[in-house]
Amino acid sequence: MPPQQEILDDPAAAEVDVLASLLEVHRLTTVVAGRVDLAPPWRVDCEPTSLLVVLVQVTGESHLVPAPDAEPIVTRPGDVVIRPHGARGHMHDGSDPSNTTWTFTLPPTDTATPQPLRLTHGDDPGSSFVCCLMQMGDAPRGPLWDSLPSVIHVSGQGLAGSEPLRHVADTMIEESAAPGPASTRLMSRLAEILLILALRLQTRNITGPPGFRALADPLIAPAITLIHADPGHSWSVASLASACGLSRSAFAARFAEVVGETPHSYLIRWRMATAAKLLATTDMAVARVAATVGYISEAAFRRAFADHLGSTPREYHKRHR
């Protein structure tokens, strides 16, 4: 039976959606969601944060300066901006005033439901945008997530090629203008959908950096699917290469090119991310977690986990339960 057919006939592999498994492991939760209306001149500073940021420009312009001395990114009505690795820097109306008109102070991240955000500064707002901040679990990000640019900017014109993304952005704008019952929770869900659709676009960027584009690579995507389907399997470079229909050397070179690290390193990081999720969300014994992610020796698993997450499995479990 051809290797590709073996993958199709494997129920576990056939049911795995790699992007969905990434989002599940990272356990996104929205901390705050709402709308900001600002009259010029304005400048918003944000405390440095590891929270993921989703912005949708409603009216006017916003000039996002992601880091000191960086070129500003200008967002116009309908534009979507995602900062997958957190945020620092500031935003302004184009005049870049030296004085801060508003400093965004991060809310507590341990709330059960997202907090509403509504800021109106001035009688005649020249710029409005929807803002959602999301917290991610502390599981290892891995090369796919690490490969994402610091700022993903999809212009309103660019949304014409992605009708679902445009419709979600429009719905967020409409909801922010006339909030109804459970509005903040609805905005939270819409922001998550917007993020997923934007990440789909990243998989289609075949000229982008190594990482997300590997999910659409016909030669390497089957191996990533198998690793995500069964991280506890004793995968070898040879077995993964066979599943992809490549020689061992050709597979290893191609994997490093499109993913950004070796197959073994990717497997270990995904095992640790999976283990972190199990420890944070279940009461599974450490020995069983170790076996689930491919470790016969609990001691070897404890050492690997501590190397990647800086604590023992039991300490991690206590901290997150």
Side-chain angles (χ1 to χ4, degrees), residues 38-114:
L38 301 169
W42 62 266
R43 168 178 167 149
V44 174
D45 288 0
C46 180
E47 298 175 351
T49 176
S50 60
L51 297 176
L52 183 150
V53 181
V54 176
L55 294 176
V56 180
Q57 191 72 25
V58 179
T59 60
E61 288 186 355
S62 294
H63 293 240
L64 170 64
V65 183
D69 301 323
E71 285 295 317
I73 297 169
V74 181
T75 62
R76 297 180 174 87
D79 285 12
V80 174
V81 170
I82 296 173
R83 304 191 70 177
H85 309 297
R88 59 184 182 129
H90 66 280
M91 298 174 64
H92 60 85
D93 63 344
S95 62
D96 200 9
S98 56
N99 294 325
T100 301
T101 56
W102 181 54
T103 299
F104 184 73
T105 302
L106 298 176
T109 57
D110 58 352
T111 53
T113 57

Side-chain angles (χ1 to χ4, degrees), residues 23-238:
L23 294 169
E24 182 181 0
V25 158
H26 293 316
R27 296 182 293 121
L28 283 167
T29 55
T30 301
V31 175
V32 63
R35 177 166 168 148
V36 178
D37 301 305
L38 301 169
W42 62 266
R43 168 178 167 149
V44 174
D45 288 0
C46 180
E47 298 175 351
T49 176
S50 60
L51 297 176
L52 183 150
V53 181
V54 176
L55 294 176
V56 180
Q57 191 72 25
V58 179
T59 60
E61 288 186 355
S62 294
H63 293 240
L64 170 64
V65 183
D69 301 323
E71 285 295 317
I73 297 169
V74 181
T75 62
R76 297 180 174 87
D79 285 12
V80 174
V81 170
I82 296 173
R83 304 191 70 177
H85 309 297
R88 59 184 182 129
H90 66 280
M91 298 174 64
H92 60 85
D93 63 344
S95 62
D96 200 9
S98 56
N99 294 325
T100 301
T101 56
W102 181 54
T103 299
F104 184 73
T105 302
L106 298 176
T109 57
D110 58 352
T111 53
T113 57
Q115 297 185 17
L117 170 66
R118 183 73 186 190
L119 173 70
T120 300
H121 182 81
D123 297 330
D124 186 18
S127 303
S128 300
F129 54 87
V130 179
C131 176
C132 295
L133 302 180
M134 301 179 184
Q135 184 180 31
M136 298 180 67
D138 56 3
R141 298 291 186 263
L144 298 186
W145 198 273
D146 287 347
S147 72
L148 292 171
S150 60
V151 179
I152 300 173
H153 177 204
V154 185
S155 71
Q157 293 179 339
L159 295 184
S162 178
E163 289 300 309
L165 202 155
R166 182 177 63 80
H167 289 320
V168 174
D170 287 345
T171 302
M172 290 182 72
I173 291 172
E174 292 171 5
E175 182 64 25
S176 72
S183 181
T184 305
R185 187 168 289 278
L186 174 59
M187 295 278 285
S188 168
R189 297 294 184 267
L190 291 170
E192 290 180 18
I193 295 170
L194 200 65
L195 172 64
I196 292 170
L197 294 173
L199 292 178
R200 282 185 179 179
L201 293 180
Q202 292 296 308
T203 67
R204 302 173 195 165
N205 183 10
I206 60 174
T207 62
F212 252 75
R213 66 188 175 98
L215 300 184
D217 188 292
L219 297 178
I220 295 302
I224 296 176
T225 299
L226 287 174
I227 289 171
H228 281 242
D230 189 3
H233 185 78
S234 56
W235 298 112
S236 65
V237 173

